[in-house]
Amino acid sequence: MRETWRWFGPADEIAISEIVQTGAQGIVSALHHVATGAVWTPDEIARRKAEIEGGEDAPTGLTWDVVESLPVSEAIKTQTGDWRAHLDTYRESLAHLADAGVQVICYNFMPVLDWTRTDLAHPVPGGGTAMHFELADFVGFDLFTLARAGAEADYPEELREEAARRHAARSEAERLRLARNIVAGLPGAAEHWDIEDVRAALAAYDGIDADRLRAHLDTFLAEVVPTAERLGLRLCCHPDDPPFPLLGLPRIVSTEEDYARLVEAVPSPANGITLCTGSLGVAPDFDPVRFVERLGPHIHFVHLRNTARGPMRGGRCSFTESAHLAGDTDMVATIRALVAEERRRVAEGRADAPIPMRPDHGHALLSDLQRPMMPGYPLIGRMRGLAELRGVMAAV
């Protein structure tokens, strides 16, 4: 597997020179400063490519291997406003990326919030910190801070009562910090949301259930996959994180069956999967080996991350991001299945036999705790994860 590292561009506190020292071969990046729905211009793409790869006089040895993400606008997801114009700009951006030689394009179809955690620096044994999702705290935010209409019907009574107790015991400053954590969105993104922004975004999904959102995803795929195939690109959809409904919004890329439906909706080598073991692994019935054996030919990109989940409550659960070789997902078995898929591709003569992977997230450890960092993206913690995963890959 090809070892990559996520870098958020010049705003990232981790420098390219430091990433070189991790042993990573490629970079996963995006034009986070460009507003969603705008065109990624050749000049902006070339600038990011040069920042990653260096010049002729001082090459870094790294390459820009994966775009994560070329975002799908809320207008496209809801099919409102300028959504058709956004499809045009999406296809134009794909063409410019193809011209620059970047072939793997990750995206997601999560409504409103791209990922959700309640604690961005949860203490873990040994002195480090991890990302954490505490279900009762999220329910308290939904019921009492956001005060979403109809939220009570989404949660069992016992969970609502626990959420009320935790909310009442929290200071106003703690409530504000929780709200900021939940609406934080992806690190490095151009847009930064507040509570009113979330309320307005939720209103745009009135009347959009899971079936309708799936139909909108199918429309998106029908519009962009032929362009990607013509350009020799590989699109890969990231799963919902976490893989269960939040804020009354539908989640449609949360299970193995969801992915089987996605790749069948528009059959094409350009219509593929980002396998994120951390996102999918929160679900207790997720079987990564079965997933790879069934859908492996469609996997274009892999996030290797692990989580430890709490008990299921009303179809949802709390979870903590664990060390890469700990948690509920058997990472050794997962990597063994992925390496077998790569060997099958080699036997078929596929040019995309090496699957790019990256160590996703990681505990903040050692000097990570004394330096600023993007939430979930520490230097030492990810380097530890990459080293562990590299060892497993070498062994299998």
Side-chain angles (χ1 to χ4, degrees):
M1 300 176 74
R2 184 165 174 83
E3 300 172 9
T4 66
W5 186 278
R6 192 171 195 183
W7 186 60
F8 293 94
D12 200 321
E13 291 88 356
I14 297 171
I16 286 290
S17 59
E18 293 176 296
I19 298 172
V20 170
Q21 295 181 57
T22 70
Q25 301 161 307
I27 291 293
V28 176
S29 192
L31 303 183
H32 299 285
H33 60 287
V34 176
T36 300
V39 173
W40 286 19
T41 65
D43 286 348
E44 290 286 356
I45 293 170
R47 184 176 297 110
R48 178 55 47 84
K49 192 175 175 71
E51 290 164 349
I52 291 167
E53 301 180 4
E56 292 184 4
D57 296 335
T60 65
L62 298 169
T63 52
W64 188 2
D65 288 5
V66 180
V67 166
E68 186 181 354
S69 297
L70 180 57
V72 180
S73 70
E74 294 298 315
I76 291 174
K77 293 172 189 174
T78 59
Q79 292 192 1
T80 57
D82 294 334
W83 72 280
R84 292 193 179 278
H86 286 190
L87 287 171
D88 291 337
T89 59
Y90 205 96
R91 286 186 287 258
E92 186 175 351
S93 296
L94 290 177
H96 295 161
L97 286 165
D99 288 343
V102 185
Q103 296 182 322
V104 181
I105 317 295
C106 178
Y107 69 96
N108 75 69
F109 219 78
M110 286 179 262
V112 183
L113 298 178
D114 283 341
W115 56 259
T116 307
R117 302 292 186 270
T118 58
D119 191 345
L120 307 183
H122 184 72
V124 295
T129 66
M131 304 260 273
H132 176 73
F133 178 85
E134 183 59 48
L135 179 58
D137 287 345
F138 180 85
V139 173
F141 164 82
D142 194 9
L143 292 174
F144 307 116
T145 300
L146 188 63
R148 177 174 61 89
E152 295 83 357
D154 287 350
Y155 309 111
E157 181 179 2
E158 179 186 3
L159 183 55
R160 296 198 308 269
E161 291 174 352
E162 180 184 347
R165 290 193 298 270
R166 295 174 72 102
H167 180 80
R170 192 170 288 118
S171 69
E172 187 60 29
E174 290 169 334
R175 292 172 186 172
L176 289 172
R177 182 166 59 251
L178 173 65
R180 284 196 299 269
N181 290 346
I182 290 173
V183 305
L186 289 176
E191 292 85 7
H192 298 280
W193 290 20
D194 59 22
I195 296 295
E196 291 307 316
D197 294 327
V198 172
R199 289 191 177 115
L202 291 177
Y205 282 85
D206 284 348
I208 298 180
D209 60 9
D211 287 341
R212 186 172 170 190
L213 189 61
R214 288 188 191 98
H216 292 182
L217 172 57
D218 290 351
T219 298
F220 169 74
L221 294 172
E223 291 283 347
V224 302
V225 167
T227 298
E229 183 173 350
R230 176 176 57 81
L231 294 169
L233 302 177
R234 299 188 294 281
L235 299 176
C236 42
C237 187
H238 187 284
D240 302 324
D241 185 6
F244 44 74
L246 298 175
L247 304 180
L249 296 166
R251 298 286 223 186
I252 60 169
V253 192
S254 295
T255 68
E256 181 182 317
E257 291 305 320
D258 288 339
Y259 271 114
R261 198 206 68 82
L262 183 149
V263 297
E264 290 166 3
V266 181
S268 167
N271 180 23
I273 295 167
T274 296
L275 170 58
C276 179
T277 57
S279 299
L280 294 168
V282 169
D285 59 349
F286 174 62
D287 183 338
V289 174
R290 185 185 64 205
F291 188 103
V292 174
E293 289 175 348
R294 179 182 181 186
L295 298 171
H298 307 281
I299 295 172
H300 297 325
F301 183 33
V302 175
H303 294 177
L304 295 178
R305 176 165 63 85
N306 223 324
T307 55
R309 78 180 77 87
M312 298 301 292
R313 307 173 70 183
R316 303 168 179 85
C317 66
S318 301
F319 60 90
T320 303
E321 300 198 1
S322 62
H324 287 77
L325 301 187
D328 295 315
T329 295
D330 185 340
M331 198 62 71
V332 175
T334 302
I335 292 173
R336 184 181 291 115
L338 288 165
V339 170
E341 168 60 23
E342 287 187 320
R343 290 172 179 156
R344 187 194 62 77
R345 294 183 186 191
V346 170
E348 285 187 357
R350 279 179 56 165
D352 64 340
I355 302 173
M357 58 74 66
R358 68 173 177 85
D360 195 16
H361 298 180
H363 289 178
L365 304 170
L366 302 172
S367 59
D368 292 331
L369 301 171
Q370 281 78 51
R371 64 183 290 176
M373 66 176 185
M374 300 289 186
Y377 291 92
L379 175 60
I380 303 301
R382 277 190 292 167
M383 186 166 66
R384 172 189 168 180
L386 179 57
E388 291 175 341
L389 297 169
R390 182 183 291 141
V392 174
M393 288 188 290
V396 303

